[in-house]
Amino acid sequence: MKIRAAGLLDLARIEEMHRSSDIKLSEAAPPAARLWTLLSSTLSALLPLSQETLMYVAEENGKVVGFIQASGQPLGLDLRRARVLQVLNLQVADGSDSDEVAPALVQHLCNQALERGALRLFVRLPDRDPLLPAFRVQGFRQYATEQVGYAEKPRQRSDHYPEGLRPVKRGDDRNVYQLYRKVTPQGVSQLEAPTYREWKALHPSEWTGALGPRGADKQEHVVDRVEVVGWVRMQRGSGARPDTLQFMALPESPLPAELADFGISLLGDSAAPAWSSLRHYDSHMIDALRGRGFTVLLTQLLLVKELALRVPKPVREKGLVPSFG
């Protein structure tokens, strides 16, 4: 088996494998879970072959039997400057040995990413995904779990909203980052965004309106009590895509419940269902949403591989200076 960089002549075969995986997914998963997986930013969206994406294929007897793809974070970042990469796709053709092809593709991607100066590789996978062993055997480790909550018709339990609630304004991005550091375990934040600059690069428009375009389809608010203790964003769905709610809040009762009620109120009279993705350490928000019509649709594992060990720069000790007198 030979692994090489993908070329334009491989695209037809790659797209064929991608469509085949979508068909298998549609047969195995309920509609809501299938939709989430197809719209997720990892292992779902096939990006064009360009300088902003790394794509390699496994070839056996002159036929492409698998491919792997990764891109910088955020997507589209010039790979010559990327220090963090995210695996977008890993697929093996029907009839090929997945236990042989998939790990070889992951290993090749790791080697190529390291040569380009990348420090970490991230991947998000549904729990019990058949491709999980291919990443485990190459040294990927789980650092967080993500639960996707889903509700056909979310329901408020109260009209009492958090004190200090206000719309997001320019300059709130640093305050929201401080909230992220407070609600996120240190082991996770040190991997994802140990500095404000890295956090802003990873989430150019995900967290705050000051970092991305606003519109009638998106509303963001913070709970400001001298410091920001809560954040919520509602984004309207389009077509078959449900509305999306995102939350961050300190685990101080009754803040999570009040913030959940306010988030649901932002949906107004929307007839679309809603979903919300929360980490395992956001249990206070998960519980609040469960009491308002949300059920856990699926669980995703967040994995990371350290490609290079970063050694702190040695500090030169000052020499002893004799003192007289």
Side-chain angles (χ1 to χ4, degrees), residues 14 18 22 46-47 54 64-65 67 71 87 100 102 110 139-140 164 179 222 224 237 248-249 260 266 282-283 292 304:
I14 288 171
H18 196 264
D22 288 349
L46 183 63
L47 294 185
L54 297 177
V64 173
V65 295
F67 78 95
S71 183
V87 183
E100 178 183 353
C110 293
F140 280 76
L179 175 61
V222 294
D224 188 352
M248 279 196 295
L266 295 177
D282 296 320
S283 57
R292 288 158 176 81
V304 64

Side-chain angles (χ1 to χ4, degrees), residues 12-325:
R13 176 60 175 160
I14 288 171
E15 290 176 355
E16 179 185 343
M17 282 188 285
H18 196 264
R19 287 195 301 269
S20 174
S21 69
D22 288 349
I23 292 172
K24 288 188 291 185
L25 177 65
S26 66
E27 293 174 348
R34 178 171 73 251
L35 182 61
W36 172 265
T37 306
L38 292 177
L39 294 174
S40 175
S41 61
T42 306
L43 296 185
S44 62
L46 183 63
L47 294 185
L49 182 61
S50 68
Q51 64 178 1
E52 287 84 22
T53 179
L54 297 177
M55 187 181 291
Y56 303 100
V57 296
E59 191 177 58
E60 198 168 44
N61 299 323
K63 184 178 180 181
V64 173
V65 295
F67 78 95
I68 193 167
Q69 183 184 33
S71 183
Q73 294 211 40
L75 298 183
L77 178 67
D78 187 346
L79 292 180
R80 292 170 295 184
R81 297 185 291 111
R83 292 295 175 262
V84 175
L85 298 178
Q86 179 162 303
V87 183
L88 301 174
N89 276 293
L90 172 60
Q91 292 176 11
V92 178
D94 293 337
S96 299
D97 188 354
S98 180
D99 293 338
E100 178 183 353
V101 176
L105 284 167
V106 175
Q107 182 180 27
H108 187 79
L109 174 64
C110 293
N111 293 338
Q112 293 298 312
L114 182 58
E115 288 183 12
R116 291 170 178 266
L119 299 176
R120 294 188 184 95
L121 267 174
F122 286 92
V123 66
R124 176 185 282 108
L125 281 171
D127 192 17
R128 296 185 295 276
D129 190 286
L131 292 174
L132 184 60
F135 291 97
R136 293 284 197 194
V137 76
Q138 293 303 326
F140 280 76
R141 62 183 178 87
Q142 179 182 337
Y143 71 92
T145 301
E146 192 175 59
Q147 290 191 343
V148 181
Y150 180 84
E152 285 290 341
K153 187 62 179 176
R155 58 182 182 275
Q156 287 181 240
R157 297 184 62 178
S158 171
D159 292 329
H160 190 271
Y161 304 142
E163 181 182 352
L165 193 68
R166 63 167 174 81
V168 165
K169 62 184 180 182
R170 186 171 297 278
D172 275 337
D173 47 344
R174 287 188 178 274
N175 296 325
V176 176
Y177 172 65
Q178 293 302 319
L179 175 61
Y180 164 80
R181 291 298 300 267
K182 290 174 184 176
V183 302
T184 305
Q186 185 176 8
V188 176
S189 64
Q190 286 298 311
L191 280 172
E192 289 185 331
T195 67
Y196 168 71
R197 178 178 294 181
E198 292 182 79
W199 175 83
K200 189 172 180 179
L202 288 173
H203 308 283
S205 61
E206 181 178 346
W207 297 113
T208 66
L211 296 176
R214 291 196 204 174
D217 64 338
K218 183 172 70 173
Q219 296 186 50
E220 297 177 68
H221 289 72
V222 294
V223 181
D224 188 352
R225 300 174 181 172
V226 180
E227 61 180 3
V228 170
V229 298
W231 170 87
V232 59
R233 182 174 89 161
M234 183 281 298
Q235 186 162 9
R236 298 285 182 193
S238 58
R241 182 171 184 162
D243 299 330
T244 302
L245 290 172
Q246 291 175 277
F247 299 93
M248 279 196 295
L250 295 181
E252 299 174 354
S253 183
L255 177 59
E258 293 176 346
L259 196 62
D261 281 326
F262 178 72
I264 293 172
S265 76
L266 295 177
L267 299 173
D269 56 357
S270 174
W275 59 31
S276 183
S277 178
L278 293 164
R279 302 285 181 85
H280 67 276
Y281 46 80
D282 296 320
S283 57
H284 49 289
M285 285 305 312
I286 294 174
D287 291 341
L289 292 180
R290 278 178 169 166
R292 288 158 176 81
F294 283 80
T295 58
V296 176
L297 182 64
L298 55 88
T299 300
Q300 298 187 128
L301 307 182
L302 280 66
L303 310 177
V304 64
K305 178 179 173 66
E306 297 278 0
L307 298 175
L309 180 63
R310 291 193 283 190
V311 180
K313 187 177 180 180
V315 179
R316 180 177 296 177
E317 295 184 2
K318 294 182 179 180
L320 296 176
V321 179
S323 178
F324 301 93

